[in-house]
Amino acid sequence: MDERAKRRGDARRERVREFALELPGAYEDFPWGESVVKVNRKIFVFLFLGHLVAGQEDSPPTVTVKLTDPAAHAHAMSAPGAVPTGYGLGRAGWVTIPLGEPGAPDAELLCDWVEESYRTIAPKRLVAQLDAD
């Protein structure tokens, strides 16, 4: 991966991280030495660096979200390099999206998917707080 693609992916990852942390009750954790954002002790977005993707040192950073809406899930799966998340999570709607690929989703669309993932994972009272803001 070239340096420009890596910087572009890193910038998207950071924007998504900032957005996720603005959601009610969200906080960052590092269970595997990599960033995840949780609500109510449950992960709603993984923000992994590329070296964790298939053991590739030079792969782009990724965002992983849970998308239960069929249209959003299909849209995310159409992103370049997107795959169902490993460890059986893909069967539950989790999608891993590389951020440095040409044609990767922009930060705004990624943030929409992060919000959907949050709404799926967060307690109803926090979703209601989000809707009230």
Side-chain angles (χ1 to χ4, degrees), residues 44-125:
F44 69 94
V45 62
F46 295 84
L47 297 162
F48 285 172
L49 298 173
H51 67 273
L52 287 179
V53 180
Q56 299 175 12
E57 281 296 319
D58 63 347
S59 60
T62 63
V63 167
T64 299
V65 289
K66 184 172 185 174
L67 299 172
T68 56
D69 175 71
H73 188 273
H75 190 197
M77 286 298 296
S78 72
V83 294
T85 305
Y87 304 104
L89 293 173
R91 290 190 300 271
W94 289 89
V95 180
T96 298
I97 305 133
L99 302 181
E101 300 285 329
D106 64 22
E108 183 177 332
L109 179 55
L110 291 164
C111 289
D112 287 347
W113 291 339
V114 166
E115 183 175 330
E116 181 178 335
S117 186
Y118 173 87
R119 288 174 179 278
T120 301
I121 302 295
K124 289 179 182 171
R125 65 181 169 74

Side-chain angles (χ1 to χ4, degrees), residues 23 30 79 125 127:
L23 296 169
F30 300 90
R125 65 181 169 74
V127 173

Side-chain angles (χ1 to χ4, degrees), residues 15-23 26 37 44-45 47 114 118:
R15 174 63 192 110
V16 168
R17 180 184 160 278
E18 289 170 358
F19 174 82
L21 291 171
E22 293 171 358
L23 296 169
V37 183
F44 69 94
V45 62
L47 297 162
V114 166
Y118 173 87

